[in-house]
PDB file of all heavy atoms in Angstrom:
ATOM      1  N   PRO A 144      92.020 116.810  87.789  1.00  0.00           N
ATOM      2  CA  PRO A 144      90.729 117.493  88.132  1.00  0.00           C
ATOM      3  C   PRO A 144      90.299 118.615  87.165  1.00  0.00           C
ATOM      4  O   PRO A 144      89.149 118.931  86.951  1.00  0.00           O
ATOM      5  CB  PRO A 144      90.904 118.045  89.548  1.00  0.00           C
ATOM      6  CG  PRO A 144      92.044 117.231  90.160  1.00  0.00           C
ATOM      7  CD  PRO A 144      92.884 116.840  88.955  1.00  0.00           C
ATOM      8  N   ALA A 145      91.315 119.237  86.588  1.00  0.00           N
ATOM      9  CA  ALA A 145      91.011 120.304  85.703  1.00  0.00           C
ATOM     10  C   ALA A 145      90.419 119.836  84.352  1.00  0.00           C
ATOM     11  O   ALA A 145      89.783 120.658  83.598  1.00  0.00           O
ATOM     12  CB  ALA A 145      92.334 121.113  85.406  1.00  0.00           C
ATOM     13  N   GLY A 146      90.551 118.555  84.011  1.00  0.00           N
ATOM     14  CA  GLY A 146      90.063 118.062  82.822  1.00  0.00           C
ATOM     15  C   GLY A 146      88.685 117.445  82.962  1.00  0.00           C
ATOM     16  O   GLY A 146      88.021 117.528  84.007  1.00  0.00           O
ATOM     17  N   ASP A 147      88.179 116.713  81.947  1.00  0.00           N
ATOM     18  CA  ASP A 147      86.999 116.081  81.914  1.00  0.00           C
ATOM     19  C   ASP A 147      87.144 114.726  82.686  1.00  0.00           C
ATOM     20  O   ASP A 147      87.693 113.751  82.193  1.00  0.00           O
ATOM     21  CB  ASP A 147      86.509 115.679  80.498  1.00  0.00           C
ATOM     22  CG  ASP A 147      85.099 115.134  80.425  1.00  0.00           C
ATOM     23  OD1 ASP A 147      84.693 114.517  81.406  1.00  0.00           O
ATOM     24  OD2 ASP A 147      84.399 115.316  79.437  1.00  0.00           O
ATOM     25  N   VAL A 148      86.694 114.680  83.920  1.00  0.00           N
ATOM     26  CA  VAL A 148      86.957 113.580  84.859  1.00  0.00           C
ATOM     27  C   VAL A 148      86.273 112.316  84.361  1.00  0.00           C
ATOM     28  O   VAL A 148      86.863 111.233  84.290  1.00  0.00           O
ATOM     29  CB  VAL A 148      86.419 113.913  86.285  1.00  0.00           C
ATOM     30  CG1 VAL A 148      86.498 112.692  87.157  1.00  0.00           C
ATOM     31  CG2 VAL A 148      87.240 115.080  86.865  1.00  0.00           C
ATOM     32  N   ALA A 149      85.036 112.426  83.858  1.00  0.00           N
ATOM     33  CA  ALA A 149      84.309 111.258  83.355  1.00  0.00           C
ATOM     34  C   ALA A 149      85.019 110.639  82.162  1.00  0.00           C
ATOM     35  O   ALA A 149      85.241 109.379  82.122  1.00  0.00           O
ATOM     36  CB  ALA A 149      82.869 111.627  83.003  1.00  0.00           C
ATOM     37  N   LEU A 150      85.514 111.472  81.254  1.00  0.00           N
ATOM     38  CA  LEU A 150      86.243 110.957  80.124  1.00  0.00           C
ATOM     39  C   LEU A 150      87.528 110.303  80.511  1.00  0.00           C
ATOM     40  O   LEU A 150      87.900 109.269  79.970  1.00  0.00           O
ATOM     41  CB  LEU A 150      86.549 112.131  79.120  1.00  0.00           C
ATOM     42  CG  LEU A 150      87.363 111.767  77.881  1.00  0.00           C
ATOM     43  CD1 LEU A 150      86.585 110.718  77.081  1.00  0.00           C
ATOM     44  CD2 LEU A 150      87.629 113.014  77.037  1.00  0.00           C
ATOM     45  N   GLN A 151      88.210 110.819  81.493  1.00  0.00           N
ATOM     46  CA  GLN A 151      89.468 110.265  81.947  1.00  0.00           C
ATOM     47  C   GLN A 151      89.187 108.854  82.592  1.00  0.00           C
ATOM     48  O   GLN A 151      89.959 107.946  82.330  1.00  0.00           O
ATOM     49  CB  GLN A 151      90.106 111.166  82.968  1.00  0.00           C
ATOM     50  CG  GLN A 151      90.657 112.446  82.399  1.00  0.00           C
ATOM     51  CD  GLN A 151      91.265 113.349  83.412  1.00  0.00           C
ATOM     52  OE1 GLN A 151      92.322 113.071  83.956  1.00  0.00           O
ATOM     53  NE2 GLN A 151      90.601 114.428  83.807  1.00  0.00           N
ATOM     54  N   TYR A 152      88.136 108.711  83.302  1.00  0.00           N
ATOM     55  CA  TYR A 152      87.853 107.357  83.866  1.00  0.00           C
ATOM     56  C   TYR A 152      87.460 106.428  82.753  1.00  0.00           C
ATOM     57  O   TYR A 152      87.890 105.216  82.827  1.00  0.00           O
ATOM     58  CB  TYR A 152      86.610 107.480  84.831  1.00  0.00           C
ATOM     59  CG  TYR A 152      87.000 107.754  86.246  1.00  0.00           C
ATOM     60  CD1 TYR A 152      86.789 109.028  86.838  1.00  0.00           C
ATOM     61  CD2 TYR A 152      87.710 106.796  86.998  1.00  0.00           C
ATOM     62  CE1 TYR A 152      87.111 109.266  88.174  1.00  0.00           C
ATOM     63  CE2 TYR A 152      88.061 107.088  88.309  1.00  0.00           C
ATOM     64  CZ  TYR A 152      87.758 108.281  88.902  1.00  0.00           C
ATOM     65  OH  TYR A 152      88.160 108.558  90.224  1.00  0.00           O
ATOM     66  N   VAL A 153      86.787 106.855  81.758  1.00  0.00           N
ATOM     67  CA  VAL A 153      86.471 105.937  80.572  1.00  0.00           C
ATOM     68  C   VAL A 153      87.758 105.506  79.896  1.00  0.00           C
ATOM     69  O   VAL A 153      87.903 104.348  79.606  1.00  0.00           O
ATOM     70  CB  VAL A 153      85.574 106.731  79.538  1.00  0.00           C
ATOM     71  CG1 VAL A 153      85.453 105.948  78.275  1.00  0.00           C
ATOM     72  CG2 VAL A 153      84.191 106.933  80.154  1.00  0.00           C
ATOM     73  N   ILE A 154      88.655 106.472  79.722  1.00  0.00           N
ATOM     74  CA  ILE A 154      89.991 106.072  79.043  1.00  0.00           C
ATOM     75  C   ILE A 154      90.710 105.074  79.883  1.00  0.00           C
ATOM     76  O   ILE A 154      91.250 104.088  79.342  1.00  0.00           O
ATOM     77  CB  ILE A 154      90.842 107.336  78.827  1.00  0.00           C
ATOM     78  CG1 ILE A 154      90.160 108.259  77.773  1.00  0.00           C
ATOM     79  CG2 ILE A 154      92.238 106.973  78.393  1.00  0.00           C
ATOM     80  CD1 ILE A 154      90.830 109.575  77.637  1.00  0.00           C
ATOM     81  N   LEU A 155      90.834 105.326  81.198  1.00  0.00           N
ATOM     82  CA  LEU A 155      91.552 104.389  82.051  1.00  0.00           C
ATOM     83  C   LEU A 155      90.864 103.021  82.098  1.00  0.00           C
ATOM     84  O   LEU A 155      91.534 102.003  82.195  1.00  0.00           O
ATOM     85  CB  LEU A 155      91.702 104.981  83.453  1.00  0.00           C
ATOM     86  CG  LEU A 155      92.591 106.210  83.564  1.00  0.00           C
ATOM     87  CD1 LEU A 155      92.592 106.712  85.002  1.00  0.00           C
ATOM     88  CD2 LEU A 155      93.983 105.985  83.075  1.00  0.00           C
ATOM     89  N   ALA A 156      89.523 103.017  82.097  1.00  0.00           N
ATOM     90  CA  ALA A 156      88.807 101.729  82.104  1.00  0.00           C
ATOM     91  C   ALA A 156      89.117 100.935  80.846  1.00  0.00           C
ATOM     92  O   ALA A 156      89.405  99.728  80.912  1.00  0.00           O
ATOM     93  CB  ALA A 156      87.351 102.000  82.195  1.00  0.00           C
ATOM     94  N   LEU A 157      89.042 101.640  79.688  1.00  0.00           N
ATOM     95  CA  LEU A 157      89.293 100.927  78.437  1.00  0.00           C
ATOM     96  C   LEU A 157      90.762 100.389  78.343  1.00  0.00           C
ATOM     97  O   LEU A 157      91.045  99.277  77.912  1.00  0.00           O
ATOM     98  CB  LEU A 157      89.015 101.842  77.237  1.00  0.00           C
ATOM     99  CG  LEU A 157      87.592 102.228  77.029  1.00  0.00           C
ATOM    100  CD1 LEU A 157      87.409 103.247  75.965  1.00  0.00           C
ATOM    101  CD2 LEU A 157      86.760 100.954  76.724  1.00  0.00           C
ATOM    102  N   VAL A 158      91.704 101.241  78.810  1.00  0.00           N
ATOM    103  CA  VAL A 158      93.153 100.839  78.776  1.00  0.00           C
ATOM    104  C   VAL A 158      93.344  99.624  79.716  1.00  0.00           C
ATOM    105  O   VAL A 158      94.049  98.673  79.353  1.00  0.00           O
ATOM    106  CB  VAL A 158      93.979 102.062  79.185  1.00  0.00           C
ATOM    107  CG1 VAL A 158      95.448 101.549  79.483  1.00  0.00           C
ATOM    108  CG2 VAL A 158      94.038 103.096  78.099  1.00  0.00           C
ATOM    109  N   THR A 159      92.770  99.680  80.911  1.00  0.00           N
ATOM    110  CA  THR A 159      92.893  98.551  81.812  1.00  0.00           C
ATOM    111  C   THR A 159      92.358  97.293  81.240  1.00  0.00           C
ATOM    112  O   THR A 159      92.908  96.164  81.377  1.00  0.00           O
ATOM    113  CB  THR A 159      92.161  98.902  83.109  1.00  0.00           C
ATOM    114  OG1 THR A 159      92.675 100.054  83.680  1.00  0.00           O
ATOM    115  CG2 THR A 159      92.320  97.765  84.163  1.00  0.00           C
ATOM    116  N   ALA A 160      91.179  97.380  80.620  1.00  0.00           N
ATOM    117  CA  ALA A 160      90.518  96.194  80.002  1.00  0.00           C
ATOM    118  C   ALA A 160      91.362  95.613  78.876  1.00  0.00           C
ATOM    119  O   ALA A 160      91.492  94.393  78.816  1.00  0.00           O
ATOM    120  CB  ALA A 160      89.125  96.610  79.459  1.00  0.00           C
ATOM    121  N   LEU A 161      91.940  96.521  78.055  1.00  0.00           N
ATOM    122  CA  LEU A 161      92.786  96.012  76.944  1.00  0.00           C
ATOM    123  C   LEU A 161      93.994  95.307  77.476  1.00  0.00           C
ATOM    124  O   LEU A 161      94.545  94.293  76.907  1.00  0.00           O
ATOM    125  CB  LEU A 161      93.180  97.209  76.054  1.00  0.00           C
ATOM    126  CG  LEU A 161      91.983  97.755  75.245  1.00  0.00           C
ATOM    127  CD1 LEU A 161      92.442  99.014  74.471  1.00  0.00           C
ATOM    128  CD2 LEU A 161      91.499  96.711  74.242  1.00  0.00           C
ATOM    129  N   ILE A 162      94.629  95.894  78.496  1.00  0.00           N
ATOM    130  CA  ILE A 162      95.883  95.243  79.098  1.00  0.00           C
ATOM    131  C   ILE A 162      95.469  93.845  79.654  1.00  0.00           C
ATOM    132  O   ILE A 162      96.243  92.893  79.466  1.00  0.00           O
ATOM    133  CB  ILE A 162      96.433  96.102  80.222  1.00  0.00           C
ATOM    134  CG1 ILE A 162      97.016  97.410  79.611  1.00  0.00           C
ATOM    135  CG2 ILE A 162      97.463  95.339  81.024  1.00  0.00           C
ATOM    136  CD1 ILE A 162      97.485  98.431  80.662  1.00  0.00           C
ATOM    137  N   ASP A 163      94.355  93.777  80.413  1.00  0.00           N
ATOM    138  CA  ASP A 163      93.940  92.499  80.943  1.00  0.00           C
ATOM    139  C   ASP A 163      93.605  91.507  79.795  1.00  0.00           C
ATOM    140  O   ASP A 163      93.927  90.286  79.880  1.00  0.00           O
ATOM    141  CB  ASP A 163      92.728  92.654  81.832  1.00  0.00           C
ATOM    142  CG  ASP A 163      93.140  93.017  83.232  1.00  0.00           C
ATOM    143  OD1 ASP A 163      94.334  93.068  83.532  1.00  0.00           O
ATOM    144  OD2 ASP A 163      92.310  93.444  84.044  1.00  0.00           O
ATOM    145  N   ILE A 164      93.034  91.956  78.737  1.00  0.00           N
ATOM    146  CA  ILE A 164      92.668  91.061  77.608  1.00  0.00           C
ATOM    147  C   ILE A 164      93.961  90.465  77.016  1.00  0.00           C
ATOM    148  O   ILE A 164      94.055  89.311  76.722  1.00  0.00           O
ATOM    149  CB  ILE A 164      91.847  91.825  76.523  1.00  0.00           C
ATOM    150  CG1 ILE A 164      90.422  92.060  77.006  1.00  0.00           C
ATOM    151  CG2 ILE A 164      91.895  91.027  75.194  1.00  0.00           C
ATOM    152  CD1 ILE A 164      89.653  92.957  76.140  1.00  0.00           C
ATOM    153  N   ALA A 165      94.952  91.368  76.836  1.00  0.00           N
ATOM    154  CA  ALA A 165      96.232  90.905  76.265  1.00  0.00           C
ATOM    155  C   ALA A 165      96.945  89.847  77.160  1.00  0.00           C
ATOM    156  O   ALA A 165      97.367  88.789  76.650  1.00  0.00           O
ATOM    157  CB  ALA A 165      97.162  92.147  76.059  1.00  0.00           C
ATOM    158  N   LEU A 166      96.941  90.106  78.449  1.00  0.00           N
ATOM    159  CA  LEU A 166      97.635  89.215  79.381  1.00  0.00           C
ATOM    160  C   LEU A 166      96.865  87.876  79.501  1.00  0.00           C
ATOM    161  O   LEU A 166      97.440  86.815  79.487  1.00  0.00           O
ATOM    162  CB  LEU A 166      97.818  89.889  80.705  1.00  0.00           C
ATOM    163  CG  LEU A 166      98.803  91.040  80.711  1.00  0.00           C
ATOM    164  CD1 LEU A 166      98.805  91.717  82.095  1.00  0.00           C
ATOM    165  CD2 LEU A 166     100.200  90.627  80.311  1.00  0.00           C
ATOM    166  N   MET A 167      95.538  87.970  79.624  1.00  0.00           N
ATOM    167  CA  MET A 167      94.789  86.789  79.747  1.00  0.00           C
ATOM    168  C   MET A 167      94.788  85.957  78.509  1.00  0.00           C
ATOM    169  O   MET A 167      94.733  84.649  78.513  1.00  0.00           O
ATOM    170  CB  MET A 167      93.290  87.086  80.134  1.00  0.00           C
ATOM    171  CG  MET A 167      93.176  87.530  81.615  1.00  0.00           C
ATOM    172  SD  MET A 167      91.389  87.816  82.142  1.00  0.00           S
ATOM    173  CE  MET A 167      91.092  89.328  81.252  1.00  0.00           C
ATOM    174  N   SER A 168      94.904  86.592  77.319  1.00  0.00           N
ATOM    175  CA  SER A 168      95.033  85.823  76.104  1.00  0.00           C
ATOM    176  C   SER A 168      96.310  85.050  76.063  1.00  0.00           C
ATOM    177  O   SER A 168      96.347  83.956  75.584  1.00  0.00           O
ATOM    178  CB  SER A 168      94.975  86.810  74.926  1.00  0.00           C
ATOM    179  OG  SER A 168      93.716  87.491  74.818  1.00  0.00           O
ATOM    180  N   LEU A 169      97.430  85.666  76.630  1.00  0.00           N
ATOM    181  CA  LEU A 169      98.625  84.900  76.660  1.00  0.00           C
ATOM    182  C   LEU A 169      98.488  83.702  77.543  1.00  0.00           C
ATOM    183  O   LEU A 169      99.004  82.593  77.202  1.00  0.00           O
ATOM    184  CB  LEU A 169      99.722  85.835  77.124  1.00  0.00           C
ATOM    185  CG  LEU A 169     100.175  86.975  76.182  1.00  0.00           C
ATOM    186  CD1 LEU A 169     101.249  87.829  76.861  1.00  0.00           C
ATOM    187  CD2 LEU A 169     100.738  86.380  74.922  1.00  0.00           C
ATOM    188  N   TYR A 170      97.834  83.859  78.686  1.00  0.00           N
ATOM    189  CA  TYR A 170      97.620  82.688  79.537  1.00  0.00           C
ATOM    190  C   TYR A 170      96.765  81.615  78.879  1.00  0.00           C
ATOM    191  O   TYR A 170      97.071  80.440  78.894  1.00  0.00           O
ATOM    192  CB  TYR A 170      96.937  83.128  80.839  1.00  0.00           C
ATOM    193  CG  TYR A 170      97.839  83.643  81.916  1.00  0.00           C
ATOM    194  CD1 TYR A 170      98.264  84.950  81.965  1.00  0.00           C
ATOM    195  CD2 TYR A 170      98.275  82.792  82.976  1.00  0.00           C
ATOM    196  CE1 TYR A 170      99.058  85.414  82.945  1.00  0.00           C
ATOM    197  CE2 TYR A 170      99.126  83.285  83.970  1.00  0.00           C
ATOM    198  CZ  TYR A 170      99.496  84.584  83.920  1.00  0.00           C
ATOM    199  OH  TYR A 170     100.381  85.092  84.944  1.00  0.00           O
ATOM    200  N   ALA A 171      95.755  82.089  78.185  1.00  0.00           N
ATOM    201  CA  ALA A 171      94.825  81.092  77.542  1.00  0.00           C
ATOM    202  C   ALA A 171      95.588  80.358  76.393  1.00  0.00           C
ATOM    203  O   ALA A 171      95.430  79.121  76.252  1.00  0.00           O
ATOM    204  CB  ALA A 171      93.604  81.822  77.049  1.00  0.00           C
TER     205      ALA A 171
END
Side-chain angles (χ1 to χ4, degrees):
D147 188 332
V148 173
L150 178 60
Q151 292 178 72
Y152 272 110
V153 169
I154 292 173
L155 293 180
L157 292 174
V158 168
T159 304
L161 289 174
I162 292 173
D163 277 350
I164 288 172
L166 293 176
M167 285 185 288
S168 296
L169 291 177
Y170 274 84

